[in-house]
Amino acid sequence: MAAVIAAIGADILFLPPAGLGVLRDDLIPLAALLAEAIVIVEITVRLRKTREVARREAASADLARREASLALHMREELLTLLSTKLKRPLIGMVDGLISARSAVERGESTQAMAALDSLATEVRVLQRTTDHWVAEAVSTRGLAEPR
C-alpha cells in the first residue's frame, strides 16, 4: 500500500507535467520505484519474522542452559550425598580387611575369620543400600517415562 502511495505521490509531485497521469517515459522510473518499495517492504517483513524467531530461539537456549545448570547442580548434590552415604561402609570394609590381614599374619585364624565375617557384613549392608537405590531409580523412571 505504501509503495502505491509513493508511486502516485511521485507522479503527482515530481514528474512533469504536474498532475495525475503517467507519461510513457515515466513508466520505467515509476516501475523501478514500485519494485524498490516492494523489495523494502519484503525485507522489512522478513527481518521482523527473523527477529521474532531469533528471540524465541534465544529464550529456548536460555531455558536449556538453565535446565542443564540445574541438572549439573543436582548431579553434584547426588554425588555428594552418595559419597557421604558410602564413606562409612567403605571405611568399615577397609578396617575389616586390615584386621583380617593382621590376624592372618599373626597366625590367628579365629580372629581372621571374625574380621572376614565383619567384612562380609559390611559388604552386604553396602549391597542392600545400593540395591535399594537402584530399585528406587527404576521405579521412579518407570513412573516418569511411558513405555
Side-chain angles (χ1 to χ4, degrees), residues 3-40:
V4 173
I5 292 172
I8 292 171
D11 182 37
I12 294 172
L13 299 175
F14 300 110
L15 298 175
L20 244 5
V22 178
L23 298 176
R24 199 171 284 235
D25 295 337
D26 297 335
L27 285 178
I28 293 177
L30 282 176
L33 177 66
L34 192 57
E36 181 182 343
I38 290 171
V39 168
I40 289 172

PDB file of all heavy atoms in Angstrom, residues 3-40:
ATOM      1  N   ALA A   3       3.817   1.472  -1.110  1.00  0.00           N
ATOM      2  CA  ALA A   3       4.505   1.571  -2.404  1.00  0.00           C
ATOM      3  C   ALA A   3       3.612   2.238  -3.435  1.00  0.00           C
ATOM      4  O   ALA A   3       4.073   3.072  -4.224  1.00  0.00           O
ATOM      5  CB  ALA A   3       4.914   0.174  -2.871  1.00  0.00           C
ATOM      6  N   VAL A   4       2.329   1.916  -3.440  1.00  0.00           N
ATOM      7  CA  VAL A   4       1.399   2.519  -4.389  1.00  0.00           C
ATOM      8  C   VAL A   4       1.243   4.006  -4.103  1.00  0.00           C
ATOM      9  O   VAL A   4       1.249   4.836  -5.022  1.00  0.00           O
ATOM     10  CB  VAL A   4       0.033   1.794  -4.333  1.00  0.00           C
ATOM     11  CG1 VAL A   4      -1.005   2.514  -5.177  1.00  0.00           C
ATOM     12  CG2 VAL A   4       0.188   0.350  -4.785  1.00  0.00           C
ATOM     13  N   ILE A   5       1.143   4.346  -2.829  1.00  0.00           N
ATOM     14  CA  ILE A   5       1.009   5.761  -2.453  1.00  0.00           C
ATOM     15  C   ILE A   5       2.266   6.523  -2.859  1.00  0.00           C
ATOM     16  O   ILE A   5       2.203   7.658  -3.363  1.00  0.00           O
ATOM     17  CB  ILE A   5       0.722   5.905  -0.945  1.00  0.00           C
ATOM     18  CG1 ILE A   5      -0.675   5.347  -0.634  1.00  0.00           C
ATOM     19  CG2 ILE A   5       0.844   7.356  -0.489  1.00  0.00           C
ATOM     20  CD1 ILE A   5      -1.005   5.261   0.832  1.00  0.00           C
ATOM     21  N   ALA A   6       3.444   5.914  -2.671  1.00  0.00           N
ATOM     22  CA  ALA A   6       4.700   6.571  -3.063  1.00  0.00           C
ATOM     23  C   ALA A   6       4.753   6.781  -4.570  1.00  0.00           C
ATOM     24  O   ALA A   6       5.197   7.834  -5.051  1.00  0.00           O
ATOM     25  CB  ALA A   6       5.891   5.743  -2.606  1.00  0.00           C
ATOM     26  N   ALA A   7       4.281   5.802  -5.340  1.00  0.00           N
ATOM     27  CA  ALA A   7       4.284   5.942  -6.802  1.00  0.00           C
ATOM     28  C   ALA A   7       3.344   7.047  -7.248  1.00  0.00           C
ATOM     29  O   ALA A   7       3.680   7.862  -8.114  1.00  0.00           O
ATOM     30  CB  ALA A   7       3.901   4.618  -7.443  1.00  0.00           C
ATOM     31  N   ILE A   8       2.159   7.107  -6.653  1.00  0.00           N
ATOM     32  CA  ILE A   8       1.200   8.165  -7.002  1.00  0.00           C
ATOM     33  C   ILE A   8       1.756   9.525  -6.595  1.00  0.00           C
ATOM     34  O   ILE A   8       1.678  10.500  -7.350  1.00  0.00           O
ATOM     35  CB  ILE A   8      -0.170   7.904  -6.350  1.00  0.00           C
ATOM     36  CG1 ILE A   8      -0.815   6.657  -6.985  1.00  0.00           C
ATOM     37  CG2 ILE A   8      -1.083   9.112  -6.483  1.00  0.00           C
ATOM     38  CD1 ILE A   8      -2.065   6.185  -6.278  1.00  0.00           C
ATOM     39  N   GLY A   9       2.352   9.595  -5.398  1.00  0.00           N
ATOM     40  CA  GLY A   9       2.950  10.856  -4.937  1.00  0.00           C
ATOM     41  C   GLY A   9       4.069  11.306  -5.854  1.00  0.00           C
ATOM     42  O   GLY A   9       4.201  12.483  -6.176  1.00  0.00           O
ATOM     43  N   ALA A  10       4.883  10.373  -6.314  1.00  0.00           N
ATOM     44  CA  ALA A  10       5.972  10.723  -7.223  1.00  0.00           C
ATOM     45  C   ALA A  10       5.399  11.222  -8.547  1.00  0.00           C
ATOM     46  O   ALA A  10       5.932  12.160  -9.144  1.00  0.00           O
ATOM     47  CB  ALA A  10       6.865   9.515  -7.452  1.00  0.00           C
ATOM     48  N   ASP A  11       4.332  10.606  -9.004  1.00  0.00           N
ATOM     49  CA  ASP A  11       3.706  11.017 -10.263  1.00  0.00           C
ATOM     50  C   ASP A  11       3.130  12.425 -10.139  1.00  0.00           C
ATOM     51  O   ASP A  11       3.310  13.265 -11.020  1.00  0.00           O
ATOM     52  CB  ASP A  11       2.615  10.028 -10.655  1.00  0.00           C
ATOM     53  CG  ASP A  11       1.959  10.380 -11.972  1.00  0.00           C
ATOM     54  OD1 ASP A  11       2.694  10.855 -12.876  1.00  0.00           O
ATOM     55  OD2 ASP A  11       0.745  10.207 -12.099  1.00  0.00           O
ATOM     56  N   ILE A  12       2.470  12.699  -9.039  1.00  0.00           N
ATOM     57  CA  ILE A  12       1.813  13.994  -8.874  1.00  0.00           C
ATOM     58  C   ILE A  12       2.824  15.096  -8.576  1.00  0.00           C
ATOM     59  O   ILE A  12       2.780  16.182  -9.151  1.00  0.00           O
ATOM     60  CB  ILE A  12       0.754  13.937  -7.755  1.00  0.00           C
ATOM     61  CG1 ILE A  12      -0.382  13.006  -8.179  1.00  0.00           C
ATOM     62  CG2 ILE A  12       0.221  15.309  -7.401  1.00  0.00           C
ATOM     63  CD1 ILE A  12      -1.384  12.723  -7.086  1.00  0.00           C
ATOM     64  N   LEU A  13       3.753  14.844  -7.676  1.00  0.00           N
ATOM     65  CA  LEU A  13       4.620  15.906  -7.173  1.00  0.00           C
ATOM     66  C   LEU A  13       5.909  16.113  -7.971  1.00  0.00           C
ATOM     67  O   LEU A  13       6.393  17.227  -8.067  1.00  0.00           O
ATOM     68  CB  LEU A  13       4.979  15.639  -5.711  1.00  0.00           C
ATOM     69  CG  LEU A  13       3.786  15.601  -4.751  1.00  0.00           C
ATOM     70  CD1 LEU A  13       4.250  15.202  -3.375  1.00  0.00           C
ATOM     71  CD2 LEU A  13       3.087  16.954  -4.716  1.00  0.00           C
ATOM     72  N   PHE A  14       6.482  15.033  -8.483  1.00  0.00           N
ATOM     73  CA  PHE A  14       7.838  15.163  -9.003  1.00  0.00           C
ATOM     74  C   PHE A  14       7.987  14.979 -10.514  1.00  0.00           C
ATOM     75  O   PHE A  14       8.972  15.409 -11.080  1.00  0.00           O
ATOM     76  CB  PHE A  14       8.762  14.166  -8.298  1.00  0.00           C
ATOM     77  CG  PHE A  14       8.819  14.394  -6.820  1.00  0.00           C
ATOM     78  CD1 PHE A  14       8.241  13.503  -5.948  1.00  0.00           C
ATOM     79  CD2 PHE A  14       9.428  15.522  -6.305  1.00  0.00           C
ATOM     80  CE1 PHE A  14       8.291  13.708  -4.590  1.00  0.00           C
ATOM     81  CE2 PHE A  14       9.479  15.737  -4.944  1.00  0.00           C
ATOM     82  CZ  PHE A  14       8.908  14.827  -4.073  1.00  0.00           C
ATOM     83  N   LEU A  15       7.082  14.323 -11.132  1.00  0.00           N
ATOM     84  CA  LEU A  15       7.247  14.047 -12.556  1.00  0.00           C
ATOM     85  C   LEU A  15       6.489  15.078 -13.390  1.00  0.00           C
ATOM     86  O   LEU A  15       5.319  15.336 -13.158  1.00  0.00           O
ATOM     87  CB  LEU A  15       6.740  12.639 -12.874  1.00  0.00           C
ATOM     88  CG  LEU A  15       7.496  11.518 -12.158  1.00  0.00           C
ATOM     89  CD1 LEU A  15       6.836  10.189 -12.453  1.00  0.00           C
ATOM     90  CD2 LEU A  15       8.953  11.486 -12.555  1.00  0.00           C
ATOM     91  N   PRO A  16       7.157  15.689 -14.372  1.00  0.00           N
ATOM     92  CA  PRO A  16       6.465  16.699 -15.195  1.00  0.00           C
ATOM     93  C   PRO A  16       5.523  16.026 -16.179  1.00  0.00           C
ATOM     94  O   PRO A  16       5.813  14.920 -16.606  1.00  0.00           O
ATOM     95  CB  PRO A  16       7.603  17.411 -15.921  1.00  0.00           C
ATOM     96  CG  PRO A  16       8.766  16.492 -15.861  1.00  0.00           C
ATOM     97  CD  PRO A  16       8.540  15.550 -14.729  1.00  0.00           C
ATOM     98  N   PRO A  17       4.478  16.582 -16.624  1.00  0.00           N
ATOM     99  CA  PRO A  17       3.822  17.756 -16.065  1.00  0.00           C
ATOM    100  C   PRO A  17       3.123  17.389 -14.771  1.00  0.00           C
ATOM    101  O   PRO A  17       2.722  16.250 -14.593  1.00  0.00           O
ATOM    102  CB  PRO A  17       2.831  18.145 -17.150  1.00  0.00           C
ATOM    103  CG  PRO A  17       2.494  16.878 -17.834  1.00  0.00           C
ATOM    104  CD  PRO A  17       3.733  16.041 -17.774  1.00  0.00           C
ATOM    105  N   ALA A  18       3.013  18.341 -13.868  1.00  0.00           N
ATOM    106  CA  ALA A  18       2.391  18.111 -12.571  1.00  0.00           C
ATOM    107  C   ALA A  18       0.943  17.719 -12.771  1.00  0.00           C
ATOM    108  O   ALA A  18       0.238  18.269 -13.592  1.00  0.00           O
ATOM    109  CB  ALA A  18       2.489  19.369 -11.723  1.00  0.00           C
ATOM    110  N   GLY A  19       0.539  16.776 -11.997  1.00  0.00           N
ATOM    111  CA  GLY A  19      -0.839  16.333 -12.074  1.00  0.00           C
ATOM    112  C   GLY A  19      -0.906  14.828 -12.242  1.00  0.00           C
ATOM    113  O   GLY A  19       0.095  14.147 -12.271  1.00  0.00           O
ATOM    114  N   LEU A  20      -2.112  14.321 -12.343  1.00  0.00           N
ATOM    115  CA  LEU A  20      -2.318  12.882 -12.455  1.00  0.00           C
ATOM    116  C   LEU A  20      -2.121  12.432 -13.873  1.00  0.00           C
ATOM    117  O   LEU A  20      -2.430  13.128 -14.813  1.00  0.00           O
ATOM    118  CB  LEU A  20      -3.768  12.554 -12.050  1.00  0.00           C
ATOM    119  CG  LEU A  20      -4.007  11.698 -10.820  1.00  0.00           C
ATOM    120  CD1 LEU A  20      -2.887  11.311 -10.014  1.00  0.00           C
ATOM    121  CD2 LEU A  20      -5.307  11.658 -10.300  1.00  0.00           C
ATOM    122  N   GLY A  21      -1.616  11.262 -14.002  1.00  0.00           N
ATOM    123  CA  GLY A  21      -1.407  10.722 -15.326  1.00  0.00           C
ATOM    124  C   GLY A  21       0.055  10.398 -15.513  1.00  0.00           C
ATOM    125  O   GLY A  21       0.925  11.103 -15.032  1.00  0.00           O
ATOM    126  N   VAL A  22       0.301   9.345 -16.210  1.00  0.00           N
ATOM    127  CA  VAL A  22       1.666   8.872 -16.377  1.00  0.00           C
ATOM    128  C   VAL A  22       2.033   8.965 -17.845  1.00  0.00           C
ATOM    129  O   VAL A  22       1.301   8.497 -18.716  1.00  0.00           O
ATOM    130  CB  VAL A  22       1.773   7.412 -15.897  1.00  0.00           C
ATOM    131  CG1 VAL A  22       3.172   6.886 -16.114  1.00  0.00           C
ATOM    132  CG2 VAL A  22       1.380   7.299 -14.436  1.00  0.00           C
ATOM    133  N   LEU A  23       3.162   9.589 -18.087  1.00  0.00           N
ATOM    134  CA  LEU A  23       3.680   9.639 -19.446  1.00  0.00           C
ATOM    135  C   LEU A  23       4.446   8.362 -19.726  1.00  0.00           C
ATOM    136  O   LEU A  23       4.926   7.686 -18.818  1.00  0.00           O
ATOM    137  CB  LEU A  23       4.605  10.856 -19.611  1.00  0.00           C
ATOM    138  CG  LEU A  23       3.951  12.226 -19.405  1.00  0.00           C
ATOM    139  CD1 LEU A  23       4.994  13.311 -19.492  1.00  0.00           C
ATOM    140  CD2 LEU A  23       2.856  12.459 -20.434  1.00  0.00           C
ATOM    141  N   ARG A  24       4.570   8.043 -20.978  1.00  0.00           N
ATOM    142  CA  ARG A  24       5.257   6.819 -21.364  1.00  0.00           C
ATOM    143  C   ARG A  24       6.703   6.794 -20.867  1.00  0.00           C
ATOM    144  O   ARG A  24       7.215   5.774 -20.442  1.00  0.00           O
ATOM    145  CB  ARG A  24       5.226   6.698 -22.881  1.00  0.00           C
ATOM    146  CG  ARG A  24       5.484   5.341 -23.388  1.00  0.00           C
ATOM    147  CD  ARG A  24       5.202   5.313 -24.852  1.00  0.00           C
ATOM    148  NE  ARG A  24       3.761   5.281 -25.038  1.00  0.00           N
ATOM    149  CZ  ARG A  24       3.124   4.361 -25.751  1.00  0.00           C
ATOM    150  NH1 ARG A  24       3.810   3.462 -26.374  1.00  0.00           N
ATOM    151  NH2 ARG A  24       1.843   4.362 -25.866  1.00  0.00           N
ATOM    152  N   ASP A  25       7.384   7.906 -20.849  1.00  0.00           N
ATOM    153  CA  ASP A  25       8.771   7.988 -20.383  1.00  0.00           C
ATOM    154  C   ASP A  25       8.878   7.796 -18.862  1.00  0.00           C
ATOM    155  O   ASP A  25       9.936   7.471 -18.354  1.00  0.00           O
ATOM    156  CB  ASP A  25       9.378   9.345 -20.738  1.00  0.00           C
ATOM    157  CG  ASP A  25       9.501   9.536 -22.248  1.00  0.00           C
ATOM    158  OD1 ASP A  25       9.534   8.510 -22.960  1.00  0.00           O
ATOM    159  OD2 ASP A  25       9.572  10.694 -22.689  1.00  0.00           O
ATOM    160  N   ASP A  26       7.768   8.038 -18.185  1.00  0.00           N
ATOM    161  CA  ASP A  26       7.777   7.955 -16.721  1.00  0.00           C
ATOM    162  C   ASP A  26       7.456   6.552 -16.208  1.00  0.00           C
ATOM    163  O   ASP A  26       7.557   6.298 -15.012  1.00  0.00           O
ATOM    164  CB  ASP A  26       6.759   8.930 -16.134  1.00  0.00           C
ATOM    165  CG  ASP A  26       7.100  10.376 -16.462  1.00  0.00           C
ATOM    166  OD1 ASP A  26       8.293  10.646 -16.694  1.00  0.00           O
ATOM    167  OD2 ASP A  26       6.171  11.200 -16.487  1.00  0.00           O
ATOM    168  N   LEU A  27       7.073   5.638 -17.031  1.00  0.00           N
ATOM    169  CA  LEU A  27       6.685   4.294 -16.592  1.00  0.00           C
ATOM    170  C   LEU A  27       7.864   3.520 -15.989  1.00  0.00           C
ATOM    171  O   LEU A  27       7.706   2.856 -14.963  1.00  0.00           O
ATOM    172  CB  LEU A  27       6.082   3.497 -17.751  1.00  0.00           C
ATOM    173  CG  LEU A  27       4.664   3.884 -18.133  1.00  0.00           C
ATOM    174  CD1 LEU A  27       4.199   3.045 -19.317  1.00  0.00           C
ATOM    175  CD2 LEU A  27       3.728   3.689 -16.961  1.00  0.00           C
ATOM    176  N   ILE A  28       9.014   3.595 -16.587  1.00  0.00           N
ATOM    177  CA  ILE A  28      10.170   2.835 -16.078  1.00  0.00           C
ATOM    178  C   ILE A  28      10.598   3.354 -14.705  1.00  0.00           C
ATOM    179  O   ILE A  28      10.773   2.557 -13.788  1.00  0.00           O
ATOM    180  CB  ILE A  28      11.321   2.864 -17.100  1.00  0.00           C
ATOM    181  CG1 ILE A  28      10.900   2.076 -18.336  1.00  0.00           C
ATOM    182  CG2 ILE A  28      12.595   2.271 -16.487  1.00  0.00           C
ATOM    183  CD1 ILE A  28      11.908   2.093 -19.453  1.00  0.00           C
ATOM    184  N   PRO A  29      10.735   4.672 -14.512  1.00  0.00           N
ATOM    185  CA  PRO A  29      11.099   5.131 -13.152  1.00  0.00           C
ATOM    186  C   PRO A  29      10.031   4.788 -12.113  1.00  0.00           C
ATOM    187  O   PRO A  29      10.357   4.425 -10.990  1.00  0.00           O
ATOM    188  CB  PRO A  29      11.258   6.642 -13.298  1.00  0.00           C
ATOM    189  CG  PRO A  29      11.504   6.881 -14.743  1.00  0.00           C
ATOM    190  CD  PRO A  29      10.794   5.780 -15.460  1.00  0.00           C
ATOM    191  N   LEU A  30       8.754   4.899 -12.494  1.00  0.00           N
ATOM    192  CA  LEU A  30       7.685   4.542 -11.546  1.00  0.00           C
ATOM    193  C   LEU A  30       7.703   3.051 -11.234  1.00  0.00           C
ATOM    194  O   LEU A  30       7.516   2.650 -10.075  1.00  0.00           O
ATOM    195  CB  LEU A  30       6.324   4.953 -12.101  1.00  0.00           C
ATOM    196  CG  LEU A  30       5.983   6.430 -11.997  1.00  0.00           C
ATOM    197  CD1 LEU A  30       4.642   6.718 -12.669  1.00  0.00           C
ATOM    198  CD2 LEU A  30       5.945   6.872 -10.552  1.00  0.00           C
ATOM    199  N   ALA A  31       7.933   2.220 -12.240  1.00  0.00           N
ATOM    200  CA  ALA A  31       8.015   0.769 -12.012  1.00  0.00           C
ATOM    201  C   ALA A  31       9.213   0.449 -11.117  1.00  0.00           C
ATOM    202  O   ALA A  31       9.121  -0.407 -10.215  1.00  0.00           O
ATOM    203  CB  ALA A  31       8.115   0.035 -13.338  1.00  0.00           C
ATOM    204  N   ALA A  32      10.330   1.135 -11.343  1.00  0.00           N
ATOM    205  CA  ALA A  32      11.514   0.929 -10.505  1.00  0.00           C
ATOM    206  C   ALA A  32      11.234   1.344  -9.068  1.00  0.00           C
ATOM    207  O   ALA A  32      11.627   0.657  -8.118  1.00  0.00           O
ATOM    208  CB  ALA A  32      12.699   1.697 -11.064  1.00  0.00           C
ATOM    209  N   LEU A  33      10.545   2.495  -8.903  1.00  0.00           N
ATOM    210  CA  LEU A  33      10.187   2.961  -7.563  1.00  0.00           C
ATOM    211  C   LEU A  33       9.262   1.969  -6.883  1.00  0.00           C
ATOM    212  O   LEU A  33       9.435   1.638  -5.700  1.00  0.00           O
ATOM    213  CB  LEU A  33       9.531   4.342  -7.645  1.00  0.00           C
ATOM    214  CG  LEU A  33       9.036   4.930  -6.317  1.00  0.00           C
ATOM    215  CD1 LEU A  33      10.219   5.221  -5.399  1.00  0.00           C
ATOM    216  CD2 LEU A  33       8.229   6.186  -6.561  1.00  0.00           C
ATOM    217  N   LEU A  34       8.289   1.467  -7.607  1.00  0.00           N
ATOM    218  CA  LEU A  34       7.348   0.491  -7.062  1.00  0.00           C
ATOM    219  C   LEU A  34       8.068  -0.802  -6.692  1.00  0.00           C
ATOM    220  O   LEU A  34       7.847  -1.364  -5.619  1.00  0.00           O
ATOM    221  CB  LEU A  34       6.232   0.223  -8.089  1.00  0.00           C
ATOM    222  CG  LEU A  34       5.019  -0.542  -7.605  1.00  0.00           C
ATOM    223  CD1 LEU A  34       4.381   0.159  -6.424  1.00  0.00           C
ATOM    224  CD2 LEU A  34       4.013  -0.696  -8.722  1.00  0.00           C
ATOM    225  N   ALA A  35       8.948  -1.291  -7.552  1.00  0.00           N
ATOM    226  CA  ALA A  35       9.710  -2.511  -7.271  1.00  0.00           C
ATOM    227  C   ALA A  35      10.607  -2.324  -6.051  1.00  0.00           C
ATOM    228  O   ALA A  35      10.717  -3.214  -5.193  1.00  0.00           O
ATOM    229  CB  ALA A  35      10.538  -2.903  -8.491  1.00  0.00           C
ATOM    230  N   GLU A  36      11.246  -1.163  -5.959  1.00  0.00           N
ATOM    231  CA  GLU A  36      12.113  -0.876  -4.812  1.00  0.00           C
ATOM    232  C   GLU A  36      11.299  -0.877  -3.526  1.00  0.00           C
ATOM    233  O   GLU A  36      11.720  -1.432  -2.507  1.00  0.00           O
ATOM    234  CB  GLU A  36      12.790   0.479  -5.016  1.00  0.00           C
ATOM    235  CG  GLU A  36      13.720   0.872  -3.900  1.00  0.00           C
ATOM    236  CD  GLU A  36      14.333   2.241  -4.122  1.00  0.00           C
ATOM    237  OE1 GLU A  36      14.312   2.764  -5.251  1.00  0.00           O
ATOM    238  OE2 GLU A  36      14.843   2.798  -3.133  1.00  0.00           O
ATOM    239  N   ALA A  37      10.133  -0.266  -3.565  1.00  0.00           N
ATOM    240  CA  ALA A  37       9.279  -0.222  -2.373  1.00  0.00           C
ATOM    241  C   ALA A  37       8.836  -1.621  -1.970  1.00  0.00           C
ATOM    242  O   ALA A  37       8.822  -1.961  -0.780  1.00  0.00           O
ATOM    243  CB  ALA A  37       8.075   0.677  -2.627  1.00  0.00           C
ATOM    244  N   ILE A  38       8.487  -2.444  -2.951  1.00  0.00           N
ATOM    245  CA  ILE A  38       8.061  -3.818  -2.647  1.00  0.00           C
ATOM    246  C   ILE A  38       9.211  -4.607  -2.024  1.00  0.00           C
ATOM    247  O   ILE A  38       9.025  -5.343  -1.052  1.00  0.00           O
ATOM    248  CB  ILE A  38       7.513  -4.504  -3.917  1.00  0.00           C
ATOM    249  CG1 ILE A  38       6.174  -3.865  -4.304  1.00  0.00           C
ATOM    250  CG2 ILE A  38       7.358  -5.999  -3.709  1.00  0.00           C
ATOM    251  CD1 ILE A  38       5.650  -4.301  -5.649  1.00  0.00           C
ATOM    252  N   VAL A  39      10.397  -4.447  -2.561  1.00  0.00           N
ATOM    253  CA  VAL A  39      11.568  -5.139  -2.010  1.00  0.00           C
ATOM    254  C   VAL A  39      11.831  -4.677  -0.577  1.00  0.00           C
ATOM    255  O   VAL A  39      12.112  -5.496   0.301  1.00  0.00           O
ATOM    256  CB  VAL A  39      12.803  -4.918  -2.915  1.00  0.00           C
ATOM    257  CG1 VAL A  39      14.074  -5.380  -2.231  1.00  0.00           C
ATOM    258  CG2 VAL A  39      12.622  -5.633  -4.243  1.00  0.00           C
ATOM    259  N   ILE A  40      11.727  -3.380  -0.341  1.00  0.00           N
ATOM    260  CA  ILE A  40      11.956  -2.859   1.014  1.00  0.00           C
ATOM    261  C   ILE A  40      10.927  -3.414   1.989  1.00  0.00           C
ATOM    262  O   ILE A  40      11.262  -3.826   3.105  1.00  0.00           O
ATOM    263  CB  ILE A  40      11.951  -1.313   1.006  1.00  0.00           C
ATOM    264  CG1 ILE A  40      13.201  -0.801   0.305  1.00  0.00           C
ATOM    265  CG2 ILE A  40      11.864  -0.749   2.423  1.00  0.00           C
ATOM    266  CD1 ILE A  40      13.206   0.692   0.067  1.00  0.00           C
TER     267      ILE A  40
END
